[in-house]
Amino acid sequence: MDSHSQVLERLRTGFRSGITLPLEFRRTQLTKLLALVKDNEEQIVKALHQDLAKPKFESILSEVEIVTNDLHHAISNVATWIQPEYVPKNLATKLDDCFVRREPLGVVLIIGPWNYPLQLLILPLVGAIAAGNCAVIKPSEVSSATDCLVAELIPKYLSQDCYAVVRGGAEETKALLQNRFDHIFYTGSQAVARSVVQAASVHLTPVTLELGGKCPCLIYGRINIQAAAHRLVWAKYFNAGQSCVAPDYVLCTKATRDALVPALTNVLEEFYGKEPQKSPDLSRIVSARHFTRLMKLLEKTKGKVVIGGQSDEDDKYIAPTVLVDVEEDDVLMGEEIFGPILPILTVEELEKSIELVNRKEKPLALYVFSDESSVVKMTMENTSSGGFCSNDGIVHMTLPGLPFGGVGASGWGSYHGRWGFETFSHRRACMLRGWALERLNGLRYPPYSDDKLKWLRWTTSAHSTCSLM
């Protein structure tokens, strides 16, 4: 196995050769990546089931389809994305070519998480390839079956001169981060993100962080309680709640809560049966360590379990669980839950709920359920989050045209579709000048005078903008 330095040198040599720059190369690699996913769908589903007991339906929907859709989008649009972007000019520059040129950054590092171990590793890679970069790909060792599969498949489909997979745990990742990259894209926890930023700062490497946080769901005003229960249960318990955009807690009035809890009970039975542990449609907790963390939260909470609460350590199973009478200072409100546990906080006024949300770090996603447009508008305009969705959960991240990313503690930067291409591109300001209008250019040369300054200010001012491109 090559050392990190050997891998990086191979990729830097590949990048310096210019092989990644032509449009045809980028399209070819994206097409091969698409083939990787399509050819190996059965193996991907099997690996995800080994890692998380993911149902085939969820694996196809969240790991295969979202990746193939983004790949099709990139293949269709990359020719447009790489075109120069011409900008308005003033009188002083009217004979010049003035444009923004998207250029690749170089050799980038992509570190993936374990909860969606294919999607959240490959989607950034799509942007990196489309932008013309070489990439080192680091899958999560926690989802070991997918980690192994990615390491096996990437070299078979993509150029080994430009793309490489590096495997290992925390120590190997720490050693990898000691190397200089041209960009680091990290998806995972806030705690590890701090270490990534610290390592990147040594080389002044730019970083994209896709983190998480406590994503609230506010339910106020008139509401179709049955539809709300279906959508909330699906979004919360998809992948056993191990989604960075899963609703983390609910804010609603007592009356809404009293109607919502029985509706949630009925929907959970409809989805997973009377014995959810026997359902083939419910994922498991990824590891014993994560299981223990979630069970400790349930042990310490002062909230009242009204649905679920059962668990099986050997099976890494925690039943879909709902709690009421949870207070803002409860242990369940102190960190992102990242599991099938849903606390409901009763707050009688929408304004007070918004204040509660705003006292916390900005979340990756924020949801509001209401039939009243005034409630949706008020929530959207008075909060801040990476993404916002009304009357549903998670689905906003499936559209390639929308940027996906956090704000503040929930992340830096965004990707999906063109946004991923932009993340891995340098926007280079270009001005191509000839030797014409030298007399006009002479206004800036010494000896200076007030007349020269007056004319120079006029030729470069906003009112002298010229529409010539």
Side-chain angles (χ1 to χ4, degrees), residues 64-108:
V64 174
E65 280 302 300
I66 196 170
V67 169
T68 56
N69 287 343
D70 206 74
L71 277 161
H72 282 299
H73 185 75
I75 292 167
S76 298
N77 290 283
V78 66
T80 301
W81 296 343
I82 66 175
Q83 295 303 310
E85 178 187 349
Y86 287 88
V87 300
K89 297 180 287 188
N90 54 31
L91 183 60
T93 58
K94 76 172 191 173
L95 296 184
D96 304 324
D97 286 332
C98 303
F99 56 91
V100 178
R101 173 183 164 91
R102 268 72 177 182
E103 297 181 346
L105 299 172
V107 178
V108 303

Side-chain angles (χ1 to χ4, degrees), residues 18-298:
I19 189 175
T20 64
L21 296 179
L23 172 62
E24 192 54 40
F25 177 86
R26 304 184 199 195
R27 276 183 168 160
T28 297
Q29 295 302 304
L30 291 170
T31 302
K32 288 182 176 180
L33 191 56
L34 181 62
L36 181 156
V37 177
K38 288 185 173 182
D39 294 349
N40 299 280
E41 183 177 297
E42 188 176 331
Q43 287 179 266
I44 290 168
V45 169
K46 182 179 178 181
L48 292 167
H49 192 271
Q50 285 181 250
D51 289 329
L52 293 143
K54 275 194 182 185
K56 178 180 179 180
F57 187 95
E58 291 190 4
S59 293
I60 297 296
L61 190 65
S62 66
E63 304 271 10
V64 174
E65 280 302 300
I66 196 170
V67 169
T68 56
N69 287 343
D70 206 74
L71 277 161
H72 282 299
H73 185 75
I75 292 167
S76 298
N77 290 283
V78 66
T80 301
W81 296 343
I82 66 175
Q83 295 303 310
E85 178 187 349
Y86 287 88
V87 300
K89 297 180 287 188
N90 54 31
L91 183 60
T93 58
K94 76 172 191 173
L95 296 184
D96 304 324
D97 286 332
C98 303
F99 56 91
V100 178
R101 173 183 164 91
R102 268 72 177 182
E103 297 181 346
L105 299 172
V107 178
V108 303
L109 171 62
I110 298 170
I111 304 175
W114 53 261
N115 59 325
Y116 292 91
L118 186 79
Q119 179 211 137
L120 298 181
L121 189 71
I122 300 301
L123 283 188
L125 180 60
V126 173
I129 294 174
N133 297 278
C134 292
V136 174
I137 305 141
K138 170 60 181 69
S140 172
E141 75 285 358
V142 177
S143 47
S144 57
T146 308
D147 174 14
C148 184
L149 184 61
V150 167
E152 175 191 338
L153 294 179
I154 289 289
K156 291 182 179 180
Y157 284 81
L158 299 186
S159 167
Q160 295 187 41
D161 292 329
C162 302
Y163 313 103
V165 179
V166 172
R167 302 178 65 194
E171 289 304 313
E172 287 81 5
T173 304
K174 185 177 179 181
L176 181 61
L177 285 167
Q178 302 308 306
N179 295 279
R180 184 181 68 80
F181 292 91
D182 297 295
H183 193 94
I184 297 174
F185 191 107
Y186 169 77
T187 304
S189 71
Q190 294 177 0
V192 176
R194 292 183 175 90
S195 299
V196 172
V197 172
Q198 189 173 22
S201 68
V202 174
H203 303 289
L204 297 180
T205 300
V207 176
T208 297
L209 301 176
E210 297 297 339
L211 309 177
K214 298 186 71 63
C215 301
C217 180
L218 289 69
I219 307 178
Y220 283 89
R222 297 186 309 276
I223 184 74
N224 182 331
I225 205 72
Q226 289 302 318
H230 277 85
R231 296 184 186 188
L232 180 59
V233 166
W234 179 81
K236 175 60 184 179
Y237 300 105
F238 192 95
N239 199 29
Q242 298 168 115
S243 304
C244 54
V245 288
D248 192 89
Y249 62 99
V250 169
L251 295 167
C252 63
T253 65
K254 184 179 183 299
T256 297
R257 182 200 72 185
D258 292 345
L260 181 64
V261 169
L264 294 175
T265 301
N266 292 335
V267 172
L268 281 166
E269 184 173 330
E270 176 188 334
F271 283 8
Y272 306 117
K274 292 183 180 296
E275 298 180 77
Q277 188 173 2
K278 295 181 179 180
S279 170
D281 300 325
L282 193 62
S283 299
R284 294 298 186 263
I285 307 305
V286 70
S287 70
R289 180 171 67 86
H290 288 82
F291 176 91
T292 300
R293 181 187 68 83
L294 290 166
M295 292 309 299
K296 284 182 178 178
L297 290 177
L298 279 178

Side-chain angles (χ1 to χ4, degrees), residues 310-326:
Q310 302 86 0
S311 64
D312 183 336
E313 185 174 3
D314 292 336
D315 192 25
K316 291 181 288 191
Y317 165 79
I318 298 177
T321 299
V322 178
L323 300 97
V324 298
D325 299 332
V326 177

